[in-house]
Amino acid sequence: MIRQFELVERVKAYDKFADEDAINKAYVFALKAHGNQKRASGDPYFSHPLEVAGILTQYKLDSKSIITALLHDTIEDTEATTEEVRELFGDEVAQLVDGVTKLARIELQSDHSDQAENFRKLVLAMSEDIRVLLVKLADRLHNMRTLHYIKKPEKRRSIALETMEIYAPLAERIGMQEMKNELEDLAFSEINPEARSSILARIKFLRDEGKDNVAAIVDELKDLLAKNGVAAEIFGREKTPYSIWRKMQKKNISFEQVADVIAFRTLVDNVGDVYKALGIIHQAYHVVPGRFRDYISTPKGNGYQSLHTGVIGPDRQRIEVQIRTRDMNQIAELGVAAHWQYKQSVSDKSAGRDFQWMRELLDILEQAANPDDFLENTKLEMFPDQVFCFTPAGDVIALPAGATPVDFAYAVHSAIGDTCVGAKVNGRSVPLRTELANGDQVEIITSKAQTPSPVWENFVVTGRARARIRRFVRQRERDEYKNLGKAILERVFRDEQYELTDKALKEALTLFTMSSIDDLFAEVGSGEITGRQVVEAVYPGTKKDKRKNGKVIEFARSLGRRKKTEPVKPGIPIKGMIPGMALHFAGCCTPLPGDRIVGIISKGRGVNVHAIDCETLEEFADTPERWIDLAWDESAVDDVHTARLDVTVTNEPGSLGELSTLIARNDGNISNLKVTGRTSEFFDLKIDIQVRDVRQLTNIIAALRASSAINSVERARG
Ligand code: MN
């Protein structure tokens, strides 16, 4: 445990104006407040806030943040009150502690929609003062470091998942790379320990094989630069198991194809030297095409600046080289905390607002009708891979990878998104669903007559576009339900010879606890409430059987009390189908929920659903009229689907056992297995696996690829 004077020393080492007395006071206050509370590890509880404060000193945060860290659990877990904290430490600290406390409170509720609400509050809280988030992240980091002490596996898992889905991306978003890496890797070792250890084993193998390789490359690069007049510091850094795993999953490649398991970080004095170093390295070695990135002229959304390049380096090995100044490196490692150091003299509440992504989140927040939508929208945006495109005027628009012209249009302005009818990329007309590439110049063609199309939802990737489209679709759906509901009620009332008046309906409103007649119409139109129930609520005498009336009213009341749920979707989890047509999943490519799909209409057989990359589709290239746009309706996906894999395993004892174990560990079920080829070294297999969706399958594929017993894994296509 860090001792009191050590903590103060650490803070004073980087901030000579630190409020020593206040830190001491907070130390004693928290120590007393937590008394003899214990953590799951058996340590005194106070060790936790102390460690959290310790983590924040590594980021050189101001005294108020350190004090907040010491106090962060006192309001929630001890007798201490906000008023006491305010009295002893002032308004600013009280507000910070309050922000962190609120988040902790919501964190305790772990069901899904609460998590969404949680996240929403988190964004709101930190937009007030980013230090709330910094303390929260340090809190989470310490909790993750001590996660193994928690006994219940389900609890460990849910904390790890939340870390992976929310806190690590947040850390990344504010540029705290080191924090993000550690959070992710700790979560990964809880969520998928086998995958992590097999990757570690393979890294170790590479390391043993290459032995002093890294040091030799560092020396050679350093000499090369020095000879050409650039003084540089160079480090070889191994990537984390999780980042390697992500790459394998995302790029659909095997461990061996993940080149550059080690990145060579080159630090120089100034920007001029950065480009000079790049020139020297590119002159000395072959450049790997497609690997050069200039994040100096176009920084990442979180402020990250660096050059990245790939070369066939010393020893004819593919290596990744990152070149940046020391200042840039400071920001790359500390992110927003690095900015904070420059700003710490002023209590700058606008610090959080400098971040464009946070404004975007707040934007989505205002658009999204329910918290689940919000979580969905933001999670998609969290992944850092971006493409940069240009407007005709030359402005840069940063979008997530996979973004389409519609995303681009919404990123420029929501009115342009709403009315877009076509797009030109680099001067050529392209379909709106086209994936944009880095450097594309995009021109959007608009028409006042256009409104957002529900079909766009199938291909947009930005939260902003999705939220706008959904809102529009929902609004239109509601209008339709409203008209339908009104027509239903008119008919039912007429049948019972009552007049449908606003006055009569207003009475029903209280019973159904609704605030407007339009709401009532919409509920009736969507089938949530029947027309008869409304008549009976307004005129309890309508039904002969008096006993049932009581029940109807009770039912109406319970409806009012009941939480809103999603309307029940029909059985087929596919959007865009022609009603009444039969649906088949093509055996050639076995599409799964999550795959991009199309339908092919075939005479007398209905619609065949194919994965968009299925080779069979070439046969239909000349008959576009048979193609229909389809998308999975994720909310209706419940049953299992069959996926087909082509797998090559080494012909060794235990290989097949390992194969089936890995599939089973990832909850996959082998429903069919056929040996299609066999040599003295390898088996070729076709395996049918039952899975829920493509995410689960991607996990299985990556797990198989991480194993050394398995030579190759591909999804069967055509
Ligand atoms: Mn805590």
Side-chain angles (χ1 to χ4, degrees):
M1 210 155 81
I2 313 167
R3 274 169 296 178
Q4 186 169 356
F5 75 90
E6 276 177 307
L7 182 69
V8 174
E9 287 304 303
R10 279 202 210 175
V11 180
K12 281 180 71 182
Y14 60 79
D15 179 7
K16 47 182 189 258
F17 303 111
D19 189 345
E20 201 174 322
D21 290 347
I23 296 175
N24 282 324
K25 200 159 62 170
Y27 186 103
V28 175
F29 182 85
L31 178 66
K32 272 196 194 144
H34 288 293
N36 47 20
Q37 289 173 346
K38 292 263 188 299
R39 299 206 88 209
S41 59
D43 287 338
Y45 194 92
F46 178 64
S47 65
H48 165 66
L50 192 55
E51 290 295 334
V52 175
I55 290 170
L56 291 178
T57 60
Q58 285 163 13
Y59 289 91
K60 305 194 166 124
L61 289 194
D62 66 326
S63 336
K64 296 217 163 73
S65 307
I66 304 295
I67 293 169
T68 305
L70 289 171
L71 303 179
H72 83 270
D73 279 331
T74 54
I75 306 291
E76 184 64 17
D77 298 338
T78 77
E79 307 277 290
T81 64
T82 312
E83 287 65 44
E84 270 176 273
V85 170
R86 191 185 312 278
E87 223 161 86
L88 285 166
F89 302 98
D91 280 345
E92 205 177 323
V93 168
Q95 248 172 39
L96 288 169
V97 174
D98 198 46
V100 184
T101 306
K102 275 190 195 129
L103 298 178
R105 230 166 249 172
I106 335 163
E107 214 164 62
L108 291 173
Q109 314 155 339
S110 56
D111 89 67
H112 181 72
S113 71
D114 284 332
Q115 193 195 26
E117 187 59 34
N118 190 357
F119 187 59
R120 178 183 205 142
K121 287 185 181 154
L122 183 71
V123 173
L124 282 175
M126 73 200 182
S127 67
E128 284 296 313
D129 193 322
I130 195 125
R131 287 175 294 178
V132 171
L133 177 63
L134 296 176
V135 176
K136 188 68 223 167
L137 285 173
D139 175 40
R140 178 52 64 116
L141 182 59
H142 184 244
N143 285 336
M144 287 301 294
R145 283 178 183 169
T146 51
L147 187 68
H148 55 280
Y149 289 116
I150 291 178
K151 294 226 170 53
K152 276 196 194 149
E154 317 85 67
K155 195 171 172 203
R156 284 202 309 267
R157 191 179 163 79
S158 92
I159 293 174
L161 280 173
E162 196 184 47
T163 301
M164 197 63 112
E165 291 187 339
I166 292 182
Y167 292 99
L170 280 174
E172 158 130 66
R173 269 304 173 112
I174 57 173
M176 301 175 87
Q177 197 59 32
E178 301 285 306
M179 170 93 74
K180 175 213 142 196
N181 286 343
E182 192 178 345
L183 284 173
E184 263 178 4
D185 211 46
L186 289 165
F188 187 43
S189 71
E190 176 60 41
I191 296 166
N192 205 337
E194 292 93 3
R196 183 168 178 274
S197 54
S198 51
I199 288 174
L200 278 174
R202 300 187 88 171
I203 294 176
K204 186 178 175 301
F205 173 76
L206 282 185
R207 204 189 293 145
D208 293 349
E209 214 182 30
K211 280 238 155 54
D212 301 319
N213 220 339
V214 175
I217 293 176
V218 166
D219 286 344
E220 184 170 332
L221 287 174
K222 222 186 248 177
D223 286 349
L224 175 72
L225 291 175
K227 242 186 272 159
N228 289 280
V230 176
E233 247 177 293
I234 302 179
F235 310 93
R237 296 205 40 139
E238 247 166 39
K239 296 192 172 159
T240 63
Y242 182 70
S243 69
I244 294 171
W245 169 256
R246 274 276 297 163
K247 215 173 226 174
M248 287 169 62
Q249 272 191 325
K250 236 181 44 192
K251 300 222 168 119
N252 198 17
I253 53 178
S254 68
F255 181 86
E256 277 66 27
Q257 288 168 286
V258 181
D260 347 316
V261 168
I262 294 167
F264 291 87
R265 210 168 268 179
T266 307
L267 305 185
V268 297
D269 289 332
N270 54 57
V271 181
D273 278 357
V274 172
Y275 287 97
K276 207 163 152 196
L278 178 77
I280 297 164
I281 289 169
H282 276 186
Q283 241 170 359
Y285 305 108
H286 279 294
V287 177
V288 180
R291 296 301 303 272
F292 176 65
R293 301 273 181 283
D294 185 342
Y295 295 117
I296 294 179
S297 67
T298 317
K300 285 192 185 180
N302 60 19
Y304 176 85
Q305 287 190 301
S306 184
L307 297 184
H308 290 188
T309 189
V311 295
I312 312 290
D315 258 3
R316 311 198 45 73
Q317 245 186 324
R318 258 178 81 158
I319 55 171
E320 179 178 310
V321 184
Q322 305 173 349
I323 314 169
R324 55 202 183 221
T325 65
R326 289 190 177 77
D327 286 350
M328 290 172 185
N329 192 51
Q330 178 99 335
I331 289 170
E333 280 173 358
L334 306 180
V336 68
H339 295 289
W340 189 255
Q341 287 164 34
Y342 303 115
K343 290 187 176 177
Q344 53 180 303
S345 52
V346 268
S347 130
D348 187 357
K349 284 207 171 177
S350 66
R353 303 216 184 262
D354 289 345
F355 284 84
Q356 201 205 337
W357 64 275
M358 207 181 281
R359 275 201 301 278
E360 278 165 14
L361 284 190
L362 291 169
D363 224 35
I364 295 170
L365 201 74
E366 279 152 23
Q367 300 276 345
N370 80 55
D372 271 341
D373 274 4
F374 176 62
L375 191 66
E376 187 59 28
N377 292 338
T378 41
K379 259 201 226 156
L380 285 172
E381 288 225 316
M382 288 289 179
F383 295 106
D385 312 84
Q386 290 181 305
V387 290
F388 296 95
C389 300
F390 296 90
T391 66
D395 292 332
V396 183
I397 304 284
L399 295 164
T404 63
V406 175
D407 293 296
F408 182 91
Y410 275 108
V412 174
H413 196 282
S414 45
I416 295 182
D418 285 349
T419 56
C420 77
V421 287
K424 281 186 179 172
V425 170
N426 304 323
R428 282 185 47 206
S429 291
V430 298
L432 286 174
R433 60 165 64 236
T434 310
E435 251 183 51
L436 295 175
N438 247 325
D440 278 347
Q441 194 205 62
V442 187
E443 186 185 338
I444 299 294
I445 300 149
T446 60
S447 154
K448 279 194 187 122
Q450 177 71 325
T451 55
S453 157
V455 179
W456 294 350
E457 224 195 302
N458 300 343
F459 56 76
V460 296
V461 299
T462 51
R464 180 199 273 250
R466 195 175 292 269
R468 283 290 293 198
I469 297 163
R470 257 194 213 175
R471 192 165 97 135
F472 184 85
V473 170
R474 201 179 287 128
Q475 184 58 42
R476 191 155 64 185
E477 212 173 66
R478 201 182 111 92
D479 288 348
E480 272 165 24
Y481 282 147
K482 218 172 66 190
N483 294 336
L484 181 63
K486 191 170 179 208
I488 289 173
L489 286 183
E490 273 164 358
R491 206 191 56 229
V492 178
F493 272 67
R494 199 176 50 234
D495 286 353
E496 295 294 338
Q497 289 164 358
Y498 291 122
E499 203 187 332
L500 183 70
T501 61
D502 282 2
K503 185 168 171 274
L505 288 176
K506 278 207 178 105
E507 270 173 55
L509 287 184
T510 21
L511 273 171
F512 290 104
T513 53
M514 276 176 211
S515 53
S516 81
I517 292 176
D518 280 352
D519 285 347
L520 182 63
F521 285 156
E523 290 278 290
V524 172
S526 68
E528 293 276 319
I529 301 174
T530 67
R532 285 219 63 85
Q533 284 164 351
V534 178
V535 178
E536 285 161 17
V538 182
Y539 301 104
T542 312
K543 262 247 157 107
K544 305 285 174 299
D545 190 343
K546 282 275 195 291
R547 277 171 306 149
K548 275 194 181 156
N549 286 329
K551 278 198 182 140
V552 167
I553 290 169
E554 207 176 281
F555 172 71
R557 291 218 168 99
S558 75
L559 261 183
R561 261 183 265 121
R562 172 199 60 146
K563 257 193 167 174
K564 275 272 160 58
T565 51
E566 286 279 308
V568 181
K569 297 266 163 50
I572 303 166
I574 298 259
K575 288 189 278 197
M577 267 301 286
I578 301 165
M581 264 201 160
L583 182 88
H584 306 275
F585 292 103
C588 44
C589 53
T590 55
L592 295 178
D595 280 330
R596 289 175 74 170
I597 47 173
V598 287
I600 298 291
I601 301 172
S602 65
K603 269 213 188 92
R605 237 184 86 77
V607 176
N608 281 319
V609 182
H610 291 267
I612 203 117
D613 56 349
C614 178
E615 285 161 17
T616 316
L617 289 172
E618 279 173 31
E619 292 168 26
F620 306 101
D622 298 331
T623 48
E625 67 281 359
R626 295 177 61 185
W627 294 56
I628 52 173
D629 278 341
L630 298 176
W632 294 98
D633 184 351
E634 304 289 350
S635 60
V637 173
D638 47 2
D639 45 334
V640 290
H641 294 256
T642 303
R644 184 164 294 171
L645 296 180
D646 289 323
V647 182
T648 305
V649 277
T650 45
N651 191 352
E652 270 169 14
S655 291
L656 283 175
E658 171 146 358
L659 176 83
S660 61
T661 310
L662 284 170
I663 292 172
R665 276 208 193 122
N666 287 284
D667 291 333
N669 180 31
I670 300 180
S671 58
N672 204 352
L673 186 149
K674 206 166 102 189
V675 179
T676 54
R678 180 178 196 164
T679 66
S680 58
E681 284 146 61
F682 300 109
F683 282 114
D684 293 325
L685 307 168
K686 253 192 203 318
I687 309 177
D688 287 347
I689 308 179
Q690 291 174 315
V691 290
R692 288 180 306 277
D693 55 20
V694 75
R695 263 177 71 172
Q696 190 192 353
L697 186 68
T698 318
N699 260 324
I700 293 175
I701 291 176
L704 293 177
R705 284 185 178 153
S707 153
S708 55
I710 289 145
N711 186 262
S712 76
V713 188
E714 295 297 335
R715 282 186 72 181
R717 282 290 183 257

